[in-house]
Amino acid sequence: MAEKPIKDTLPADLPENWQAEQTVAPTGEEVGLTHQHGYNYLMETVNRTQRSLNQINDAFETISTGAARCVVGTTWNNWTKADCDYLCTGNNDQEVIQAALNSLQQSPKSLGGEVILLPGTYFLDGPLLIKDYTWLHGLTTDNVILQRRSADGYGEQKCIICMTTAMLSNLKFRGLADSPEDVFDILVKGNLCIIQNITFLPTQQSIYIAEGPARIINNKWGSANVAIYSGSTSISNGYLVVQNNEYVAANKFIDTSPGRPSGSGIRVAITGNVGYGGGYGAVRLDGLASGGGNVIQGNIFSTITILNTSGRKPVNLGNIISGNILNRGGDGDGVVLTLGENTSGWFVTGNILLEVDEGKNYLIEDLGKGNIVRFNSDDTGGSAPAAVQQATPMISVSADGTVTASAVQRAGYVAAGTKSASLNLSSAQDPDFVPENIRDGVSVFGVTGRLQSTAAGVESFHGRTGAVMPEHGDYSAPMVGAATMEEVNAAIQAAVLSSWEASY
């Protein structure tokens, strides 16, 4: 409770019952009246009153104007001067809003204050500056709209709103649907700026952070080319907090510049952000502070890329990327999380890299040194791989009859066990291996033959049946190609005669 500015009590007990011909004396008792009737008491009371007035006057210098508040309305929503302190007309409304903001800075010791926008649409035909602990916000989140109508603005980024140690919240912002890529909507240029509960209707480039840390919390984007860009070359060890935001289609949700070679840069705490469009919401962080302490946790993005392109000292303390769902869209192939060259000190764990429609894992690419990547849904590059199924061998038979069993094992931990495979040989291995080439009733490697065979020899001969054995007289000499008896006798006689004649 504040101290009372009046130190001396002011009693209201001067007499009001004077009568005609009563005598005034230094004290009232001298003439038979009360003490309050004396003129000494009267002068004492007057002096006490003067001292109290001086105390009140001095106390005004210590009264804070931090609770100053202005209300702004617009004729577009039928507000009148009786409803608000400042009234916009739909033309150069930024000038009226600026006047309200400036009125909060009149005292040399001002701690800012708040400007409340009543429901309606406010047209910004020129830049608006929010500074020095002032807070511009809508009375209701859904019915207050800031409509940008000019491509001109602050700095090279041509931002229509500039914030320096200020807060913007509880309204909708509609930017230029066809603005160039170098035109942003909101410029953060001072320490401790807060952008909260803003619904960004379709826009191109929303927030440009040029200096100092910022808090971007509970905002929504319909569609944007770049939602948040940080020119971190101007940020020295400040935190960029991006928390609990939603987006439908932001091509680049967060993008930071390479940073200064000295190593000073921005730290990030990116948590609880949700994207609804698969393939949208890329996060690209470059130029982070080498001191570490970065957190990227519990988000839904398309991709996350951590870079250190300036070649400065790499991050060497604890940083974590965990519990995120990454979905770049498409067929489920490709890298969705990249740790670039010269990165270190990152612990990447528990992230889901699954393309839902295809049921495939995306990949993590670690090009840095000293990063720990483990227990993600793909486990590439991790020092502790996830459990995978043992590969089932494939069996094949070549044309020359060689049987080969082979298996391609996926990387990862394989639990104990054995997997086997079987193969039914068929004409797929050898076109001659068919039932027609296998004797009837015989099965070879599961193939049963159908070839009809003929028994060797004869089953009957000269009236004999069964197992017929040759006997005398079964065959004549001409049948077996032998000479007859007569031919043999004649040959013998001719030989004997020839021998006898020769002896004489």
Side-chain angles (χ1 to χ4, degrees):
M1 180 177 293
E3 185 179 358
K4 293 181 179 180
I6 301 176
K7 308 302 181 182
D8 298 329
T9 304
L10 297 177
D13 59 353
L14 290 176
E16 298 178 0
N17 58 349
W18 286 91
Q19 302 294 323
E21 299 181 357
Q22 284 184 332
T23 302
V24 177
T27 64
E29 292 89 346
E30 299 173 11
V31 292
L33 299 175
T34 65
H35 179 71
Q36 285 81 358
H37 283 79
Y39 57 77
N40 286 341
Y41 182 78
L42 175 62
M43 295 301 103
E44 180 185 349
T45 303
V46 170
N47 289 334
R48 186 182 300 169
T49 302
Q50 290 176 337
R51 289 193 297 269
S52 298
L53 289 175
N54 290 331
Q55 290 173 356
I56 294 174
N57 186 59
D58 294 339
F60 267 100
E61 293 183 356
T62 63
I63 296 177
S64 172
T65 60
R69 177 180 299 160
C70 292
V71 178
V72 179
T74 174
T75 57
W76 278 71
N77 212 50
N78 297 321
W79 298 109
T80 67
K81 291 184 178 181
D83 302 313
C84 51
D85 301 306
Y86 294 84
L87 187 63
C88 296
T89 61
N91 184 33
N92 288 312
D93 290 340
Q94 79 282 351
E95 296 179 358
V96 178
I97 299 173
Q98 190 68 65
L101 291 168
N102 293 343
S103 70
L104 304 177
Q105 308 296 328
Q106 299 303 315
S107 172
K109 296 185 178 180
S110 172
L111 295 178
E114 59 180 315
V115 172
I116 302 172
L117 300 178
L118 296 177
T121 299
Y122 299 83
F123 297 96
L124 305 182
D125 298 308
L128 180 66
L129 176 61
I130 314 173
K131 65 177 183 177
D132 298 337
Y133 303 99
T134 53
W135 175 21
L136 177 63
H137 65 94
L139 182 65
T140 62
T141 303
D142 296 330
N143 297 324
V144 176
I145 300 175
L146 289 181
Q147 170 73 64
R148 180 176 188 172
R149 293 199 299 199
S150 172
D152 295 328
Y154 292 98
E156 296 180 359
Q157 296 76 33
K158 299 178 181 179
C159 298
I160 199 72
I161 296 177
C162 179
M163 301 176 61
T164 61
T165 316
M167 180 173 179
L168 180 68
S169 68
N170 299 344
L171 50 81
K172 293 182 178 179
F173 183 92
R174 179 179 288 115
L176 300 175
D178 56 352
S179 63
E181 292 186 357
D182 61 344
V183 175
F184 281 77
D185 293 322
I186 300 174
L187 174 63
V188 175
K189 201 176 180 181
N191 192 29
L192 193 62
C193 286
I194 301 174
I195 300 175
Q196 182 173 334
N197 295 331
I198 304 293
T199 298
F200 290 92
L201 303 174
T203 185
Q204 292 298 309
Q205 287 78 229
S206 297
I207 302 172
Y208 185 95
I209 303 173
E211 298 178 16
R215 308 290 186 266
I216 303 174
I217 305 171
N218 295 332
N219 302 289
K220 297 180 181 180
W221 277 266
S223 63
N225 182 31
V226 180
I228 304 166
Y229 180 82
S230 171
S232 58
T233 54
S234 301
I235 300 176
S236 178
N237 297 323
Y239 257 111
L240 170 61
V241 176
V242 182
Q243 184 177 25
N244 297 340
N245 300 282
E246 301 178 20
Y247 67 90
V248 175
N251 292 328
K252 295 179 181 179
F253 185 65
I254 304 175
D255 190 8
T256 66
S257 66
R260 291 179 289 186
S262 63
S264 62
I266 195 171
R267 288 181 173 87
V268 297
I270 303 172
T271 61
N273 302 283
V274 177
Y276 299 105
Y280 295 100
V283 172
R284 177 185 177 277
L285 303 177
D286 201 350
L288 297 178
S290 59
N294 298 284
V295 177
I296 306 173
Q297 193 168 28
N299 306 283
I300 300 178
F301 293 138
S302 62
T303 59
I304 296 176
T305 303
I306 310 297
L307 300 174
N308 183 16
T309 58
S310 68
R312 61 176 174 78
K313 181 180 178 181
V315 174
N316 56 7
L317 295 177
N319 306 278
I320 188 168
I321 302 175
S322 69
N324 302 286
I325 299 176
L326 302 180
N327 179 9
R328 62 177 292 172
D331 58 4
D333 296 325
V335 176
V336 293
L337 200 161
T338 301
L339 301 176
E341 296 180 1
N342 301 318
T343 62
S344 65
W346 286 91
F347 182 29
V348 180
T349 184
N351 299 286
I352 299 175
L353 319 172
L354 183 64
E355 206 289 312
V356 178
D357 295 336
E358 296 291 332
K360 299 179 181 179
N361 275 317
Y362 292 114
L363 303 175
I364 296 176
E365 184 177 47
D366 182 7
L367 303 177
K369 295 180 180 180
N371 298 311
I372 301 175
V373 182
R374 61 174 63 176
F375 305 130
N376 301 284
S377 65
D378 71 329
D379 282 286
T380 58
S383 58
V388 297
Q389 291 290 329
Q390 183 182 24
T392 301
M394 301 292 293
I395 301 175
S396 62
V397 181
S398 65
D400 61 359
T402 302
V403 179
T404 302
S406 61
V408 178
Q409 180 62 56
R410 181 185 172 192
Y413 169 73
V414 179
T418 301
K419 280 198 172 184
S420 60
S422 60
L423 175 68
N424 291 326
L425 296 177
S426 66
S427 59
Q429 285 73 42
D430 190 340
D432 293 330
F433 186 52
V434 293
E436 288 75 12
N437 292 336
I438 301 175
R439 191 176 69 182
D440 186 25
V442 176
S443 177
V444 180
F445 295 119
V447 179
T448 302
R450 294 198 298 268
L451 176 65
Q452 299 293 328
S453 62
T454 302
V458 296
E459 296 181 357
S460 64
F461 188 71
H462 287 189
R464 301 192 302 274
T465 60
V468 179
M469 300 298 294
E471 293 182 0
H472 179 72
D474 285 341
Y475 302 97
S476 62
M479 294 175 62
V480 297
T484 62
M485 196 59 147
E486 290 79 4
E487 292 173 340
V488 172
N489 290 334
I492 293 174
Q493 290 177 1
V496 171
L497 179 60
S498 175
S499 176
W500 183 76
E501 291 178 348
S503 62
Y504 291 99

